Amino acid sequence: MYTAPACTFWLAVGSMVFELQRMLAANAFAKIVASPMLYGSAAAMGFFVNATTFLTIQLAGSLTVKVLGTVKNAMVVWLG
């Protein structure tokens, strides 16, 4: 969790270098302004998934996260 500011910085720099021109051409920022709750809730859910994974690793171990991920993938295949 303590690496989040550095990760955010470098992801922002990378997206500006590689994707900013396409985003401006496609008027992508207008889509974000048009529905901020949708994008804000997606960002909040992403944060909570990362926080939950971090807490699971701290409390139960990384093997538990791997097993849960494998079970999730198996359920996606089975239900799909």
Side-chain angles (χ1 to χ4, degrees), residues 47-60:
F47 172 78
F48 286 120
V49 165
N50 287 332
T52 304
T53 302
F54 177 77
L55 290 174
T56 303
I57 291 171
Q58 292 296 314
L59 296 174

Side-chain angles (χ1 to χ4, degrees), residues 25-37:
N27 202 17
F29 293 108
K31 294 177 185 177
I32 296 171
V33 171
S35 51
M37 292 298 291

Side-chain angles (χ1 to χ4, degrees), residues 1-11:
M1 302 291 274
Y2 55 88
T3 61
C7 292
T8 302
F9 172 76
W10 287 110
L11 285 171

